[in-house]
Amino acid sequence: MPRFETQKSPMAPIHIRQYQDRDYKSVLDLFISGMEEHIPTTFRHLLTLPRTLLLLLGVPLVMVLVSGSWLLAAMSIFFVLFLLKLLARQPWKEYVAKCLHTDMADITKSYMNARGSCFWVAESGGELVGIVGGLPVKDPPLGRKQLELFHLSVSSQHRGQGIAKALTRTLLQFARDQGYSDVVLETSILQKGAHALYMSMAFRKTRQYFLGAFWRLVDIPAIQFKHSFPSA
């Protein structure tokens, strides 16, 4: 039987239920807006890198030496900042585009019709305010049965009410009921709030690595978390 969770908040009761087709547009809006929130954080991170500071100092200096124009030097700083903003946007835009052509293209097919998987939404006052999904890991370690957590996101106007924790708790209970031995997930080093949430729910960091050349260049490793059930 599906499990539902209702949680009280200062604004309105939070109701967690399984995804329905009528939720699709709201789910996508929440997913995309959640991903786009990482762009400013990534941009600020880029500004702290020594290589970026060197670029911001070196390019104007070269412009002065070559052209003798301080105006061009100042303009070059704005140009570099503009390029850094584009650089910060690109990986998140690519991730969204990839998801919209894979698991998020048809949530019912990807999550609701597949055995051992599910997708949940959180509602408050008739508004969809949170999402999370879980899919079986295709090649888990020998002797393990693992569920991977995907797309945990809560509307910025409804944070601080325990919605993300309630969604995660719902997924953990589902995993336990389905006989999974572990729940795993992947996040970036920049998502400090998510780290604190997972650690508070008995997840532990198991691995830190770069997903590709771009992430290594900008020094943003991915972190893998795992929650193991006591009986597993």
Side-chain angles (χ1 to χ4, degrees), residues 109-157:
K109 180 180 178 181
S110 299
Y111 290 89
M112 307 307 297
N113 291 345
R115 186 174 182 179
S117 61
C118 198
F119 199 98
W120 296 268
V121 300
E123 287 182 318
S124 176
E127 178 185 1
L128 195 151
V129 298
I131 58 173
V132 72
L135 291 172
V137 174
K138 292 183 178 179
D139 297 305
L142 185 65
R144 311 297 290 182
K145 181 182 179 183
Q146 297 183 328
L147 182 73
E148 186 165 2
L149 181 154
F150 285 101
H151 309 315
L152 176 62
S153 185
V154 174
S155 167
S156 59
Q157 296 87 357

Side-chain angles (χ1 to χ4, degrees), residues 1-219:
M1 292 292 291
R3 292 173 179 262
F4 303 97
E5 182 167 340
T6 300
Q7 177 177 318
K8 292 184 178 180
S9 76
M11 297 179 64
I14 302 299
H15 177 62
I16 296 176
R17 60 170 174 79
Q18 292 185 4
Y19 169 86
Q20 299 174 13
D21 285 337
R22 60 183 170 85
D23 302 319
Y24 187 68
K25 184 180 184 305
S26 297
V27 166
L28 287 193
D29 289 344
L30 189 54
F31 165 64
I32 293 170
S33 63
M35 289 299 100
E36 290 179 345
E37 285 184 15
H38 299 316
I39 295 173
T41 305
T42 304
F43 177 66
R44 290 192 294 269
H45 171 78
L46 291 178
L47 293 179
T48 67
L49 297 177
R51 62 185 69 112
T52 300
L53 298 177
L54 184 62
L55 190 65
L56 288 170
L57 292 173
V59 170
L61 180 60
V62 169
M63 292 301 296
V64 170
L65 293 176
V66 171
S67 68
S69 170
W70 286 99
L71 177 60
L72 286 178
M75 291 176 62
S76 71
I77 294 176
F78 288 104
F79 180 70
V80 170
L81 290 173
F82 174 73
L83 290 180
L84 289 173
K85 284 189 175 182
L86 291 180
L87 189 64
R89 287 169 52 90
Q90 189 61 25
W92 302 109
K93 293 291 187 181
E94 287 182 356
Y95 177 71
V96 168
K98 175 185 174 182
C99 291
L100 294 181
H101 286 86
T102 53
D103 64 309
M104 298 295 276
D106 188 335
I107 297 173
T108 296
K109 180 180 178 181
S110 299
Y111 290 89
M112 307 307 297
N113 291 345
R115 186 174 182 179
S117 61
C118 198
F119 199 98
W120 296 268
V121 300
E123 287 182 318
S124 176
E127 178 185 1
L128 195 151
V129 298
I131 58 173
V132 72
L135 291 172
V137 174
K138 292 183 178 179
D139 297 305
L142 185 65
R144 311 297 290 182
K145 181 182 179 183
Q146 297 183 328
L147 182 73
E148 186 165 2
L149 181 154
F150 285 101
H151 309 315
L152 176 62
S153 185
V154 174
S155 167
S156 59
Q157 296 87 357
H158 292 82
R159 290 174 189 162
Q161 301 176 34
I163 299 173
K165 180 170 285 190
L167 284 164
T168 304
R169 189 183 298 119
T170 299
L171 183 141
L172 289 174
Q173 186 61 58
F174 171 83
R176 185 189 294 273
D177 293 344
Q178 292 288 315
Y180 285 100
S181 51
D182 312 298
V183 171
V184 298
L185 63 93
E186 184 181 273
T187 186
S188 83
I189 199 171
L190 299 180
Q191 293 162 266
K192 304 297 186 183
H195 300 175
L197 168 67
Y198 299 134
M199 297 292 282
S200 73
M201 301 189 72
F203 282 83
R204 61 184 179 87
K205 296 180 183 179
T206 57
R207 188 181 169 204
Q208 182 168 309
Y209 51 96
F210 292 101
L211 292 171
F214 171 83
W215 297 105
R216 187 179 296 276
L217 175 66
V218 297
D219 195 26

